[in-house]
Amino acid sequence: MNATSAAVDFSPTLRLLALAAALALLPLAWWWWRHRAAGALARRAALTVLTLFLTFDLVVFGAFTRLTDSGLGCPDWPGCYGEASPIAASVQIAGAEAQQPTGPVTERKAWIEMVHRYLAGAVGALILVLATLSVRARRELPFSLGWPLATVAWVIVQGLFGKYTVTLKLYPAIVTLHLFGGLVLLALLAVQAQRYHGRALALAAATRALLAAALLLLAVQVLLGAWVSTNYAVLACRGFPQCNGQWWPAPMDAQQGFTVLRHLGRAGEGGFLPAEALVAIHWAHRVFALVLVSALLALALALWRQAGGAARRAALALLALTALQVATGAANVVLHWPLAAALLHTGGAAALSGLLVSLQVRAVATSSSHVAVSRPSHRPASQ
């Protein structure tokens, strides 16, 4: 009985949850003070936007954690060597760093990894607060209660992805889903934020079809990009626009490259993953980028042709983000994967996702009502 009790120690988890709640109190206090005179609806809308912004920051910081090889900075989960902070685990971290000075565990990497977990916990706490407020005001919500509840459920899924990213030692399929899941969380919050504002955008049927197609293509490209990053295939192709001096690189091993159930650096049938597989992974992402960019340019042109300044502003934002993605994607190859370009590439993908999801929400609202709305349909003063 004593051995069993000693084996299950929840104290690090409880301390981490307490720390996450304390961190969440900072933006909550700012939000309450800033919007204390506003109506209940306006306060919930502001908190949704604030949580959306912090989730975007979390996605970028998650990329920073990945790009600095800090994903195993603390080799257990949720704590660090069973402690709630690297300070308490300093002896174990120092010992691991002494054995491998450039290995996965160093003091710097441990702090980066734990800060990422702290931020994730704080965002999760904010999402739980949002869901609680939504349940209390479910009759006045401008969207289904299923959206905030689904967001809470997805936070739990993301937490599990984060756990298995560590415990399975950067298993590529899990890491890819974890990276993609951050953008899914962003999209769920973007839907709610847009619904609070209630501004519909009148779009032609062809433009709405282009928008839906672009959103689907972006999801595929994000998965391909996450697979490139997860497998460290960014530099498998040297040069741009050619790959290793060829317009169509050969040889490539797509079968090995896209074997999903395998460990990092390992082939599906055993042994190490060949370089030809990494080339195939990189090249698939680059070729599909041409498809996505074509769709985004077509969508931007269709939006520009729509009547009204809102559609044209959306077209300009879409063009700017597309240009950013092309420039940072090329810079990652030409400049040998600099941290700044890689972070901008991730941030651009997150911003593109938020923009397309917001446009989709606005377009769906218009397609059912056929009325362009410029102001929220629910007034804060009435709450």
Side-chain angles (χ1 to χ4, degrees), residues 206-244:
T207 306
R208 295 200 302 272
L210 269 175
L211 175 58
L215 192 53
L216 178 61
L217 291 173
L218 178 62
V220 174
Q221 181 67 348
V222 166
L223 281 170
L224 287 172
W227 193 243
V228 170
S229 177
T230 297
N231 287 280
Y232 295 92
V234 175
L235 298 180
C237 278
R238 300 299 179 110
F240 184 87
Q242 291 183 316
C243 173
N244 300 329

Side-chain angles (χ1 to χ4, degrees), residues 250-269:
M252 288 190 289
D253 189 346
Q255 181 179 357
Q256 290 286 358
F258 289 95
T259 297
V260 175
L261 300 180
R262 57 175 173 77
H263 289 279
L264 179 62
R266 294 288 181 173
E269 299 176 354

Side-chain angles (χ1 to χ4, degrees), residues 20-259:
L23 287 174
L25 286 176
L26 296 176
L28 280 172
W30 178 86
W31 158 75
W32 181 261
W33 179 259
R34 179 76 181 266
H35 301 279
R36 62 191 184 281
L41 182 68
R43 286 200 300 271
R44 291 196 300 273
L47 183 57
T48 303
V49 172
L50 175 60
T51 306
L52 176 63
F53 172 76
L54 293 176
T55 302
F56 176 87
D57 294 340
L58 177 62
V59 168
V60 176
F61 195 85
F64 178 76
T65 303
R66 173 77 181 143
L67 292 165
T68 55
D69 292 323
S70 302
L72 296 179
C74 286
D76 54 337
W77 190 94
C80 191
Y81 288 99
E83 302 292 345
S85 79
I87 296 175
S90 59
V91 174
Q92 294 93 328
I93 293 170
E97 189 171 4
Q99 291 181 2
Q100 291 182 285
T102 59
V105 179
T106 67
E107 184 179 4
R108 177 175 180 269
K109 291 177 180 179
W111 272 111
I112 292 173
E113 169 65 5
M114 289 308 296
V115 168
H116 177 56
R117 295 183 195 180
Y118 299 152
L119 292 176
V123 168
L126 290 174
I127 289 172
L128 186 59
V129 170
L130 272 176
T132 302
L133 293 175
S134 297
V135 169
R136 292 180 60 186
R138 55 188 176 276
R139 294 181 181 178
E140 293 82 24
L141 286 178
F143 47 78
S144 167
L145 184 60
W147 286 105
L149 296 181
T151 308
V152 171
W154 192 254
V155 164
I156 296 172
V157 172
Q158 272 295 89
L160 291 174
F161 284 152
K163 171 185 177 180
Y164 291 116
T165 291
V166 176
T167 58
L168 295 180
K169 307 302 180 186
L170 305 181
Y171 194 84
I174 296 296
V175 179
T176 297
L177 289 174
H178 191 47
L179 295 172
F180 183 76
L183 297 192
V184 173
L185 185 60
L186 199 72
L188 288 168
L189 289 166
V191 169
Q192 296 166 67
Q194 193 59 59
R195 287 295 190 192
Y196 270 121
H197 288 84
R199 290 189 289 267
L201 184 61
L203 296 178
T207 306
R208 295 200 302 272
L210 269 175
L211 175 58
L215 192 53
L216 178 61
L217 291 173
L218 178 62
V220 174
Q221 181 67 348
V222 166
L223 281 170
L224 287 172
W227 193 243
V228 170
S229 177
T230 297
N231 287 280
Y232 295 92
V234 175
L235 298 180
C237 278
R238 300 299 179 110
F240 184 87
Q242 291 183 316
C243 173
N244 300 329
Q246 298 174 295
W247 287 107
W248 190 267
M252 288 190 289
D253 189 346
Q255 181 179 357
Q256 290 286 358
F258 289 95
T259 297

